[in-house]
Amino acid sequence: MAGGDSAAVSAVEGRLSELSTNSDEKGLPRRGKSLSGRTLNTAQIQFVASHPEVYEPCDDSFALVDALLSDKAQLLTLKPRLCMEIGCGSGYVITSLAIMLRQLGSGTQYLATDINQHAVETTQATLEAHGVHADVIATDIVSGLEKRLHGLVDVVVVNPPYVPTPEEEIESNGIASSWAGGINGRQVIDRILPAVRELLSERGWLYMIALEDNDPLDICHLMNEKGYASRVLLKRCTEEESLYVLKFWQDASSGTNASHAARSPRSESSWLSQLPFRSLWHKNA
C-alpha cells in the first residue's frame, strides 16, 4: 500500500476509534418521536407512505439522513447532476435528499431503485406527497442500468441490507430484502460496492450505512485499494446495533480514474435525454 493510501486508511482507523469512545455525540431520534428539527430540510414522517412489505424509516434511515444534512453545504457546492439511491424502501432518504437540494432546481435529477415492487410504489407515493420528483425503478441494485449510467452519477446513497443472516434469506424480494445481508451482513454490500464504483462520476460521492458487524474498516480498506478515500461521517449506537455512515470519493492522488471514459462536451449536455427512465416504471401508465 502506498504511503498516501496508508495515511488515508489510518485517518479512518483513527475516526472509528474516536467514535467508538464518543458514540453518543449526536442523539438518534427513535421511530415515532417528533422530527421537528428537520421540518424544512427532510421528508416528514407523517407524509412517508407505508406498506406491510416495505421497510419503514428507522434508526439507520435517520442516521443516513442526518449525515447528508451534515454534508448539505458540500452537496450544494458539488451541484450534483444525478443523485441515486440504491434500495429506496419507503422513499424517506431519496425524498429527504431531494428536499435538501431543492434550491439547485432542475439542474439536479434523482433516481431510485429497489428490488421490491412494493417499495417502488411506496417511494413514488412518498415523493409525490412531498412535491419532489425522482424516477423510481424496480431492479436488483442497478441491474440493466450499468451501461447507461456508467460514470454519470454524482451522489449515491445506500442503506444496504446489512444484518447478518443465513445466506438463503438474501434471495427474498419482499421486506426481508431490506435487511438480509447474508454472511457477516456483507454479501449484498460486496455486490453493491463494485456496481457503485462503475456508476460514480470522477467527482462522485458515495454515502453508505454499515453495521459494526460488517467491519466498516475493512470496507474502507477495500475501497481504498480501488482508489477511493473515505471518511466516517457519524456513528450511532442504538439498543441493538452500532451504525456507521461512511462517505467515499475518488482520491485524485491515486490516479485510478481510468475506469471512467472521458465524455465529450456534447454528451455532458445531453446525457439525461438518453436515459429512458420513465419507460421503466409504469405506474398509472
Side-chain angles (χ1 to χ4, degrees):
M1 183 179 293
D5 293 344
S6 298
V9 173
S10 294
V12 172
E13 290 174 338
R15 182 61 174 153
L16 287 172
S17 176
E18 173 189 340
L19 290 172
S20 293
T21 60
N22 193 25
S23 60
D24 294 327
E25 59 186 356
K26 296 180 180 179
L28 177 67
R30 306 295 297 174
R31 178 164 50 180
K33 284 192 176 181
S34 171
L35 302 179
S36 57
R38 307 174 183 185
T39 299
L40 300 178
N41 293 302
T42 69
Q44 297 304 289
I45 293 299
Q46 64 267 35
F47 299 125
V48 174
S50 63
H51 186 281
E53 286 296 316
V54 174
Y55 186 72
E56 296 180 356
C58 200
D59 299 331
D60 46 6
S61 316
F62 301 146
L64 181 52
V65 167
D66 275 354
L68 293 170
L69 276 172
S70 74
D71 229 26
K72 179 181 175 181
Q74 288 73 24
L75 285 163
L76 290 171
T77 300
L78 180 68
K79 296 181 180 178
R81 299 175 66 227
L82 180 59
C83 299
M84 180 178 190
E85 181 177 14
I86 297 173
C88 53
S90 69
Y92 173 73
V93 175
I94 191 66
T95 300
S96 294
L97 181 60
I99 292 171
M100 286 179 218
L101 304 183
R102 183 178 258 159
Q103 67 192 76
L104 296 178
S106 60
T108 302
Q109 304 294 322
Y110 302 89
L111 172 65
T113 68
D114 203 294
I115 195 172
N116 182 349
Q117 179 63 37
H118 297 301
V120 169
E121 296 170 1
T122 302
T123 291
Q124 190 64 30
T126 297
L127 289 159
E128 292 172 358
H130 289 83
V132 293
H133 174 76
D135 291 287
V136 190
I137 300 171
T139 190
D140 182 13
I141 305 178
V142 295
S143 180
L145 301 173
E146 300 93 337
K147 291 183 179 179
R148 283 173 285 179
L149 295 180
H150 179 78
L152 294 177
V153 186
D154 293 322
V155 174
V156 176
V157 294
V158 188
N159 182 3
Y162 55 67
V163 177
T165 63
E167 186 172 358
E168 57 270 18
E169 287 190 26
I170 66 177
E171 303 300 324
S172 170
N173 289 339
I175 192 170
S177 65
S178 66
W179 68 67
I183 299 171
N184 297 323
R186 284 284 297 273
Q187 285 184 257
V188 181
I189 289 174
D190 289 343
R191 289 179 55 216
I192 290 173
L193 291 175
V196 168
R197 290 196 298 266
E198 290 301 309
L199 267 55
L200 282 175
S201 67
E202 291 182 4
R203 65 193 190 110
W205 297 344
L206 164 64
Y207 297 85
M208 189 182 77
I209 285 277
L211 188 67
E212 189 160 358
D213 290 347
N214 304 147
D215 195 349
L217 181 58
D218 180 63
I219 293 172
C220 292
H221 273 290
L222 291 174
M223 290 293 281
N224 185 263
E225 289 174 357
K226 300 298 182 180
Y228 285 82
S230 55
R231 177 187 172 199
V232 182
L233 289 183
L234 61 85
K235 177 185 176 181
R236 291 284 172 76
C237 288
T238 73
E239 296 174 357
E240 299 178 351
E241 57 196 10
S242 295
L243 299 166
Y244 293 87
V245 180
L246 308 175
K247 179 181 179 180
F248 300 95
W249 63 95
Q250 285 199 46
D251 185 355
S253 65
S254 69
T256 57
N257 297 331
S259 63
H260 294 298
R263 297 192 294 278
S264 68
R266 181 177 183 276
S267 65
E268 285 286 346
S269 62
S270 61
W271 64 271
L272 187 61
S273 65
Q274 301 171 22
L275 304 177
F277 293 148
R278 295 179 185 279
S279 67
L280 298 176
W281 187 73
H282 301 289
K283 183 183 177 185
N284 297 329

